[in-house]
């Protein structure tokens, strides 16, 4: 009797686990199909050049203020922290190089990714979900246009290409924020600060920053497009799509950042 | 497809069945729309009229077969179907981010054959006149139009590529009675003038009366009553009688 019950419980748990694994794999499957459909079709005419132009403005250009402000303030705060922490070890002179390396390798891409996830992933999800709910996506089909090719491909491609550019700008502004705080508030000599900033930066720091950014851009746009496109009917559907897109994009950014850091910097 | 009388069918469904998680919405529906006919599908809300359209359009999975001009519709050959086809959606479904003329000529602009912007605008203006709108509407965004104007623009968009087949999903829902009747007249005029085969889905008998030659009244996911639109009010069908009666307040 007791043994039987235990076996039942095990079965129930295994069953629940199995169901979760099945739904997760089927979600992954449809995600992979979705993205590969978008990217495959983007290589065939018609190319919808105008849509790409619109996305460059909406995603690339319009994200600059958010990214710039975030990077500037974080760079400044980072300089203050490293200075006060470093002073305990008499290592205040490391401020320029740690600000620069920290920004390039970690803070630049991750902050940029998270800020753009909040802005772009949600905007994409809300826009596509609204189009789904108001039958605009069905209308595209009846107008002989592939909605994944027309709507999804430009958003994924442009975000993946432009997040490295945004991150590059963010890196420069962040490092400048550190420079400004260090020279104005902490008494660093400007020319010496600049010299030691560049002394320790390696090419690998910059490329890793841009590679991370491209991957984050891909994740952000894919989550936005996927949840928006698959939204269910009603106003609830739009809200749920937006939340799901931002939360999953943010978690994926942080998780993949850890994996990428392991891959790129472990040795 | 030809039926017993030798008439050719534009659209035909055979034992069309659609279920959502074991709930059957369309139950073995056999529908035949002859060329040049305006077929009305009427029934209370939630009886699966929109779902029927989604099935024919291939926007959802279904069981059974659908034929277009005698050919079985499958994933691969829907392209030809869409090329000769236009649809007016319930909520108009105009693209928010495009202007009126870009909406109207969307299919022309984005198809393989290239046309110039100036040509497209010309065509849009012509179509706007056709649906009773001024050419100044051209440059506006859909959000700047009233519901009736949006319907007209959406109709112009559906007509842009000269379809031989037109679908209408609740063409007058959400419009006031006067606007409704002018939209009904417009649809009826254009469909007759261009000899377009059409399928009109509506819960509103006045739309069906104004536009359709034949009517199917949906009951329990199948055909409850079918006949000429003009004979609908004399039909000896319990639910249809009740349905028409309840509307004559
Ligand atoms: N995507 C869906 N998932 C589950 N049920 C659906 C879905 N779409 C429609 N239904 C159900 O199918 C039925 C018919 O819906 P619909 O075709 O929209 O009705 P109407 O005749 O008013 O157009 C409704 O009961 C609705 O709940
Ligand atoms: Mg409906």
């Amino acid at each position: 009797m007791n043994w039987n019950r235990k076996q039942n419980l095990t079965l129930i748990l295994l069953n629940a686990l199995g169901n979760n694994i099945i739904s997760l794999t089927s979600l992954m499957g449809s995600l992979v199909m979705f993205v590969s459909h978008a990217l495959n079709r983007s290589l065939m005419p018609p190319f919808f050049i105008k849509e790409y132009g619109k996305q460059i403005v909406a995603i690339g250009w319009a994200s600059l203020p958010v990214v710039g402000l975030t990077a500037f303030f974080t760079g400044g705060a980072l300089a203050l922290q490293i200075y006060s922490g470093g002073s305990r070890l008499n290592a205040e002179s490391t401020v320029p190089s740690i600000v620069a390396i920290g920004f390039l390798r970690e803070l630049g891409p991750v902050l940029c990714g998270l800020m753009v996830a909040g802005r772009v992933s949600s905007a994409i999800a809300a826009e596509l979900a609204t189009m789904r709910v108001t039958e605009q996506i069905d209308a595209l089909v009846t107008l002989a246009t592939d909605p994944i090719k027309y709507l999804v491909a430009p958003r994924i491609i442009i975000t993946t290409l432009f997040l490295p550019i945004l991150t590059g700008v963010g890196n420069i502004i962040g490092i400048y924020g550190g420079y400004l705080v260090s020279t104005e508030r902490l008494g660093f000599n400007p020319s010496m600060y600049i010299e030691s900033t560049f002394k320790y930066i390696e090419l690998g720091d910059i490329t890793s920053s841009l590679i991370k950014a491209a991957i984050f851009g891909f994740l952000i746009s894919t989550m936005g497009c996927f949840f928006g496109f698959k939204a269910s009917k009603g106003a609830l559907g739009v809200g749920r799509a937006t939340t799901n897109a931002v939360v999953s994009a943010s978690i994926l950014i942080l998780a993949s950042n850890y994996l990428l850091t392991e891959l790129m910097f472990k040795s | 497809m030809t039926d017993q009388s030798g008439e050719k069918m534009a659209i035909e469904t055979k034992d069309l069945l659609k279920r959502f998680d074991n709930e059957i919405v369309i139950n073995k529906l056999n529908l035949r729309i002859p060329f040049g006919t305006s077929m009305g599908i009427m029934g209370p809300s939630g009886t699966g009229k929109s779902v029927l359209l989604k099935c024919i359009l291939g926007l959802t999975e279904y069981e059974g077969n659908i034929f277009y001009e005698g050919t079985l519709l499958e994933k691969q050959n829907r392209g030809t179907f869409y090329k000769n086809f236009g649809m007016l959606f319930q909520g108009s479904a105009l693209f928010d981010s495009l202007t009126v003329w870009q909406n109207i000529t969307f299919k022309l602009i984005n198809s393989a054959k290239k046309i110039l912007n100036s040509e497209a605008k010309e065509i849009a203006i012509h179509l706007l006149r056709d649906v009773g709108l001024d050419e100044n509407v051209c440059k506006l965004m859909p959000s700047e139009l009233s519901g009736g104007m949006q319907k007209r623009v959406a109709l112009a968009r559906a007509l842009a590529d000269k379809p031989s087949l037109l679908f209408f999903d609740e063409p007058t829902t959400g419009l006031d009675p006067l606007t409704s009747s002018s939209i009904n007249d417009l649809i009826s005029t254009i469909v007759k003038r261009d000899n377009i085969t059409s399928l009109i889905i509506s819960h509103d008998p006045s739309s069906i009366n104004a536009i359709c030659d034949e009517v199917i009244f949906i009951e329990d996911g199948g055909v409850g009553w079918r006949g000429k639109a003009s004979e609908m009010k004399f039909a000896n069908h319990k639910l249809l009688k009740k349905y028409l009666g309840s509307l004559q307040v």
Side-chain angles (χ1 to χ4, degrees):
Chain A
M1 178 73 187
N2 202 4
W3 182 83
N4 232 342
R5 209 180 264 167
K6 237 182 212 161
Q7 197 191 28
N8 268 342
L9 190 68
T10 323
L11 274 179
I12 289 167
L13 284 175
L14 275 177
N15 196 2
L17 184 69
N19 282 339
N20 277 327
I21 291 174
I22 289 169
S23 57
L24 191 68
T25 7
S26 85
L27 184 75
M28 293 293 285
S30 54
L31 195 61
V32 170
M33 299 250 294
F34 183 75
V35 172
S36 59
H37 181 117
L39 299 183
N40 274 333
R41 294 297 169 83
S42 70
L43 301 173
M44 285 176 273
F47 294 112
F48 304 129
I49 308 284
K50 250 194 201 159
E51 288 309 299
Y52 286 81
K54 278 186 196 168
Q55 295 314 318
I56 291 176
V57 176
I59 294 169
W61 180 246
S63 297
L64 271 175
V66 178
V67 165
L69 282 173
T70 315
F72 183 77
F73 289 122
T74 310
L78 188 65
L80 288 177
Q81 288 287 13
I82 294 168
Y83 182 81
S84 82
S87 62
R88 293 180 203 163
L89 318 162
N90 283 329
E92 299 94 330
S93 60
T94 57
V95 170
S97 52
I98 294 185
V99 166
I101 293 171
F103 232 93
L104 288 173
R105 288 184 170 199
E106 281 295 318
L107 283 174
V110 171
L111 275 180
C112 240
L114 290 177
M115 293 312 286
V116 175
R119 233 199 115 252
V120 169
S121 207
S122 58
I124 292 177
E127 187 182 7
L128 297 198
T130 306
M131 290 187 77
R132 162 70 67 201
V133 169
T134 55
E135 299 187 300
Q136 290 177 53
I137 291 181
D138 291 344
L140 277 174
V141 176
T142 67
L143 293 167
T145 299
D146 180 346
I148 295 189
K149 177 185 165 107
Y150 180 78
L151 295 171
V152 175
R155 285 168 173 78
I156 292 184
I157 290 171
I158 293 303
T159 316
T160 308
L161 290 179
F162 272 74
L163 203 64
I165 297 175
L166 285 169
T167 300
V169 174
N171 287 338
I172 292 167
I173 294 177
I175 293 170
Y176 175 71
Y179 162 86
L180 212 60
V181 168
S182 304
T183 52
E184 296 294 322
R185 309 261 304 116
L186 305 174
F188 278 79
N189 176 304
S191 59
M192 272 172 66
Y193 188 97
I194 293 172
E195 197 195 315
S196 51
T197 295
F198 286 108
K199 200 167 161 193
Y200 296 103
I201 292 178
E202 290 169 13
L203 187 64
D205 299 329
I206 296 168
T207 51
S208 70
S209 186
L210 302 184
I211 290 171
K212 276 184 174 183
I215 291 170
F216 298 163
F218 175 78
L219 293 171
I220 288 167
S221 49
T222 303
M223 290 301 114
C225 287
F226 184 74
F227 285 107
F229 206 81
K230 308 270 168 178
S232 54
K233 279 240 152 182
L236 261 184
V238 179
R240 200 174 297 141
T242 313
T243 313
N244 283 342
V246 176
V247 170
S248 58
S250 307
I251 291 174
L252 284 174
I253 285 172
L254 294 172
S256 66
N257 178 56
Y258 174 76
L259 289 176
L260 289 168
T261 306
E262 277 268 353
L263 271 173
M264 295 193 283
F265 299 113
K266 204 165 167 226
S267 53
Chain B
M1 281 295 124
T2 51
D3 74 355
Q4 297 84 337
S5 58
E7 213 173 357
K8 266 195 110 185
M9 294 297 143
I11 293 279
E12 179 162 13
T13 70
K14 283 217 169 116
D15 292 335
L16 182 68
L17 191 136
K18 172 68 191 176
R19 59 179 106 216
F20 291 109
D21 311 319
N22 293 328
E23 185 211 349
I24 293 180
V25 177
I26 296 172
N27 193 4
K28 305 232 165 190
L29 184 72
N30 291 303
L31 179 73
R32 312 157 65 78
I33 311 176
F35 280 100
T37 306
S38 302
M39 172 73 74
I41 306 273
M42 198 172 69
S45 295
T47 42
K49 304 185 297 296
S50 298
V51 171
L52 169 64
L53 274 193
K54 296 250 152 77
C55 292
I56 301 178
L57 292 183
L59 296 173
T60 179
E61 307 276 314
Y62 56 84
E63 295 160 55
N65 293 321
I66 300 173
F67 300 88
Y68 168 62
E69 300 190 347
T71 323
L72 180 67
L73 278 179
E74 287 165 302
K75 270 220 168 75
Q76 304 87 298
N77 62 10
R78 290 226 177 243
T80 10
F81 174 75
Y82 294 134
K83 282 212 164 59
N84 304 316
F85 170 83
M87 163 125 187
L88 180 60
F89 284 88
Q90 190 164 345
S92 297
L94 294 173
F95 303 123
D96 298 321
S97 57
L98 302 180
T99 61
V100 165
W101 74 266
Q102 287 169 330
N103 261 287
I104 293 177
T105 52
F106 188 91
K107 199 170 175 184
L108 307 174
I109 292 173
N110 291 303
S111 69
K113 49 179 192 281
K114 279 274 155 255
I115 67 163
L116 295 170
N117 272 356
S118 54
E119 288 177 87
K121 259 185 209 165
E122 200 100 328
I123 294 171
I125 288 172
H126 184 81
L127 284 158
L128 278 173
R129 290 215 187 96
D130 225 16
V131 297
L133 288 175
D134 194 84
E135 63 180 84
N136 296 333
V137 173
C138 234
K139 298 178 289 288
L140 299 180
M141 300 305 279
S143 57
E144 298 172 287
L145 306 178
S146 72
M149 289 163 92
Q150 289 184 0
K151 274 274 152 75
R152 287 172 193 266
V153 172
L155 180 60
R157 181 176 71 178
L159 292 168
D161 203 20
K162 300 194 166 41
S164 56
L165 186 64
L166 262 178
F167 285 6
F168 301 86
D169 190 3
E170 307 276 5
T172 58
T173 307
L175 301 178
D176 65 86
L178 264 180
T179 314
S180 291
S181 88
S182 69
I183 295 278
N184 285 338
D185 292 344
L186 178 66
I187 292 173
S188 165
T189 311
I190 287 175
V191 163
K192 299 250 154 47
R193 184 193 70 193
D194 299 346
N195 195 25
I196 299 172
T197 309
S198 50
L199 179 65
I200 296 96
I201 285 197
S202 182
H203 64 260
D204 180 9
S206 62
S207 271
I208 301 277
N209 266 324
I211 308 167
C212 303
D213 308 316
E214 293 179 31
V215 187
I216 286 179
F217 183 74
I218 299 277
E219 183 180 6
D220 297 332
V223 176
W225 182 85
R226 75 169 86 203
K228 297 236 176 305
S230 50
E231 291 163 5
M232 185 165 66
K233 51 180 177 286
F234 310 117
N236 195 11
H237 182 273
K238 214 172 137 200
L239 188 63
L240 176 57
K241 266 181 161 169
K242 199 173 154 196
Y243 184 74
L244 293 173
S246 68
L247 292 160
Q248 274 147 20
V249 197

